[in-house]
Amino acid sequence: MTISRFLASHRFNFTRFEHRATQTCAEFEALVPAMPGTRNKNLFLRDKKGLRHVLVIVPPKLVIDLDKLSALLGMRRLGFASKDRLRQHLGVESGSVSVLSLIHDLSNSVELVIDQTIWNAEAIQAHPLINTETVVIPQPELKRFLATTGHLPTVLDIPGVQ
């Protein structure tokens, strides 16, 4: 099922914006006009042995301290997952990752970790699995989306590099 059909079939309230393709937060900042909702950065990580996978959502300018985050999550050495793992677990390419990617995680094998700042926002911005569009999702709809997909977030003050 496409994300558009999924959102429509569950009657999610969101606003869609089209824009130029972007691969990074810096490109998004430079090329995409301001829109409602909080911007964020999405990182797909894995533990040292590749047994646990985590989607981490943080403010765009936060540089995560992976050692401290690993300790908070009780994991050994978090690192970036490969493009193959990204496709396998979330069904998207680099530059298109967002919380909406979780519709492809039918086995709920991906853990979701959201920074407290993003979680407390009235609405967030998310790519609908492609990097030429962004949807703005109000916080109550985000919670409903996560409940619908079976993903309970871990909400933390994610540590940054000092």
Side-chain angles (χ1 to χ4, degrees):
M1 173 180 290
T2 67
I3 189 66
S4 296
R5 277 197 209 141
F6 180 87
L7 294 173
S9 70
H10 290 87
R11 298 191 173 151
F12 284 101
N13 177 28
F14 64 92
T15 307
R16 183 182 303 260
F17 295 88
E18 293 183 6
H19 53 75
R20 293 175 57 184
T22 58
Q23 289 290 325
T24 65
C25 287
E27 284 181 7
F28 191 85
E29 182 84 25
L31 299 175
V32 177
M35 60 183 81
T38 298
R39 291 185 176 188
N40 54 82
K41 175 170 57 177
N42 300 267
L43 305 171
F44 187 56
L45 307 174
R46 50 103 189 112
D47 69 351
K48 180 180 179 179
K49 293 187 177 182
L51 300 176
R52 288 175 66 187
H53 294 85
V54 184
L55 175 60
V56 180
I57 303 174
V58 298
K61 297 197 186 299
L62 180 68
V63 177
I64 299 173
D65 185 323
L66 291 177
D67 291 334
K68 288 181 182 175
L69 182 58
S70 296
L72 281 173
L73 298 176
M75 298 173 81
R76 294 201 42 181
R77 267 195 23 225
L78 277 173
F80 290 93
S82 68
K83 290 180 181 185
D84 288 338
R85 286 179 190 265
L86 178 59
R87 270 188 238 93
Q88 176 187 349
H89 291 278
L90 296 179
V92 294
E93 300 296 325
S94 296
S96 298
V97 180
S98 79
V99 68
L100 299 178
S101 307
L102 293 171
I103 69 158
H104 290 173
D105 180 34
L106 302 177
S107 63
N108 287 67
S109 63
V110 176
E111 300 171 47
L112 176 62
V113 177
I114 301 178
D115 187 80
Q116 188 75 49
T117 305
I118 303 299
W119 186 250
N120 290 339
E122 289 183 27
I124 68 164
Q125 298 174 9
H127 286 308
L129 313 187
I130 56 172
N131 64 3
T132 57
E133 294 180 16
T134 296
V135 296
V136 176
I137 308 167
Q139 170 56 295
E141 294 296 277
L142 174 62
K143 288 180 179 178
R144 194 163 71 86
F145 172 82
L146 294 174
T148 301
T149 64
H151 291 87
L152 297 174
T154 299
V155 180
L156 300 171
D157 286 320
I158 295 178
V161 173
Q162 299 293 326

